[in-house]
Amino acid sequence: MGKPKVGIYGLTGCAGDQLNIINCEDELLKIFDIFEIESFVMASRAKNENVELDVAFVEGSVSTEKDLEHLMEIRKKSKILVAIGHCAVFGGVQSMFMGKEPWIERYKKVYGKENAVTLTPPLEPKPLAAYVKVDAVLPGCPIEKEPFLKLAGKLAHGIVPKVPDFPVCAECKWKENECLLLKGQLCLGPLTNSGCGAICPSMNIPCIGCWGPIAKENWESEALLLLEKGYKPDEIVKRFAIFGGTERAELLKNFLESHQKQESGK
Amino acid sequence: MRVFKLKRDNFIPFMKGLGKFGELWGPVKKGDHHVYAQASPEQFDLKAIRTIVPAKKFFLPKKSTILKFKNNEWTEHFDVKKRVIFGLHPCDIHALNIYHKFYTRLYPDPYYLKNREATLIVGLSCLPDEHCFCNLTDTETVNEGFDLFLTDLEDRFLVWIGSPKGDEVLKLVKDLIEETTQEDIDEYVAWRKKRRSMFQVSLDLEGMPEILTFNYDSPIWEEMGDACLSCGTCTMVCPTCTCFDIEDEYDIRTDEMDRQRFWYSCVFREYSMVAGGHNFREARSERLKLWYTHKLVGFMSEYGSPACVGCGRCVVSCPVDINVLTVAKALLKEKPDAFWARMASLKNMEVEHA
């Protein structure tokens, strides 16, 4: 097996995920050793886009038509497409209002008019999977060095990695932390993908969910628990929405509203 | 079992003397809780009731490399350290005895065995808090599974020898210990009486294996499943939970593939998923039922006793109050004071309203 041909790309986002790859300073030579890097614009102007890729890493959300075009091209020429970072995997904070109101209303609010001049026609920000098949994901805001290196190691050996299917709480217990939720804090650990090593709770900062919602999480229960602990529905919905995607936030909002009606009807 | 006396003033030098065996680990304060940490004996908190994570972490580390592959060759990887682990209470030692059975009986686990061999276990007596229920699980005293055990009689300790290793190690501190007197024995008997009177939980836990079997289809599993966050905390903090998962990780720095073993949990969704994507326990309620029936029924038939030692860790750790006590109470038709039960009655009310 030759070296896998790799491209590293960014759509709309803060570019922090690509930056964190460059930040793997001590391992950069190794990364360039195990992969044939064909395109990584943040690191080098030299690039070759006319080649089939074994692996494409893509960060950022699809927020413009140009993004979408670019993503389609990447998908077409890549065997394995890996979404890296929260924006690519879940849509990022820019998608927290997705579907809440007609998108053009928000657009007008920001740009003052409907047909503002932009470099490329904008779209409602969405994760990659809204448009193309995504073969593997590495969440995080931004991605972390160690999980990225592990992912790279697996891909170099032809293994398509998967995200761990358990929440931050497990890693938090491995760190032997006190449970912040039990201490009454608005911690989203139970609803959030692990992999970060429970960095925030280990510093006594509740999890805000930047690794994105875990599959089939039990947000109903956590929301009711937080209500019981004295949090207002608004606070809960806001915290959920930042990294949880609007769809979930909307469900949660409706759930809490109907719950409150029930309570006041008693 | 031989027993000696250790004056309290001699405790620090005694522990330091044992430190010649290996690294000293004991209960140290972390926030409002305790953890087993490597520390000097001055830092040990002898009043610690339960650590966040139990002593199983020394024998099945939370995450460890068990094999290394390089250039198509593999080697077993051991990271064994000689340690003195101080401060295990009777429940903790009972739990280790269960661990021992599990990891040595059918498939002796070399990693477990090496860690166990390298460890000196120094138990410490305790006085129960409101969450302790080892009096109901028959684990409030312990006769085996430790090398030394200290009973804290305030101005002095009784030092029990539990193994040839303990006997051997005691030679390191022989100048610090004395023969016991009749007064010591009297004090010990009085202390036991006092301790026994301090337990606050009363519940028919003995009947659990039968009651759980009868209640296999009880609606309470659904109720708990509705509230369970599947966070895995119960299994991480349970001193008798043995499950792990294995993953190969390629380290690009060293060109080595590490086979990692890490704590895993039967309450995680993928635990019961098999090739092809079928999941035998897709529902949270099914996974909880597995945990409780394994712990309190399955273990009974396999090892002769249930795998709950009454340490109370699940009681203080579950954010939604699913624990051995509330489950037992619910099955015994006593109303548990628990978030999951409140959530269930709320839901039932909504159904009635509708």
Side-chain angles (χ1 to χ4, degrees), chain B residues 145-165:
Chain B
F146 56 86
D147 300 302
L148 297 171
F149 190 96
L150 272 56
T151 304
D152 187 347
L153 298 178
E154 308 218 343
D155 62 337
R156 79 203 90 162
F157 296 91
L158 298 183
V159 183
W160 309 78
I161 303 174
S163 74
K165 189 155 83 184

Side-chain angles (χ1 to χ4, degrees), chain A residues 170-202:
Chain A
E171 290 185 320
C172 199
K173 277 289 147 302
W174 294 352
K175 292 270 172 79
E176 303 185 48
N177 294 327
E178 297 182 285
C179 176
L180 296 178
L181 195 53
L182 279 177
K183 289 190 139 188
Q185 300 205 40
L186 208 172
C187 183
L188 295 185
L191 310 180
T192 305
N193 280 310
S194 62
C196 61
I199 312 172
C200 299
S202 300

Side-chain angles (χ1 to χ4, degrees), chain B residues 180-249:
Chain B
T180 50
T181 61
Q182 185 57 42
E183 194 205 333
D184 298 325
I185 300 166
D186 295 345
E187 282 239 5
Y188 174 66
V189 172
W191 174 86
R192 275 180 68 106
K193 219 167 147 184
K194 170 182 142 195
R195 179 175 190 259
R196 191 156 286 172
S197 70
M198 287 174 75
F199 286 98
Q200 299 170 41
V201 182
S202 98
L203 199 67
D204 174 19
L205 263 189
E206 250 171 68
M208 261 317 113
E210 292 85 16
I211 289 165
L212 263 166
T213 310
F214 285 138
N215 280 288
Y216 201 74
D217 297 317
S218 164
I220 77 148
W221 301 112
E222 284 292 329
E223 294 177 3
M224 279 188 278
D226 284 343
C228 177
L229 298 167
S230 299
C231 67
T233 298
C234 51
T235 55
M236 303 295 159
V237 303
C238 179
T240 67
C241 269
T242 47
C243 284
F244 58 82
D245 196 3
I246 282 179
E247 195 182 10
D248 289 345
E249 277 176 7

Side-chain angles (χ1 to χ4, degrees), chain B residues 106-124:
Chain B
L106 275 178
Y107 306 102
D109 184 303
Y111 304 92
Y112 167 82
L113 284 167
K114 279 196 199 294
N115 284 330
R116 184 79 200 226
E117 211 181 277
T119 304
L120 187 81
I121 293 170
V122 184
L124 175 67

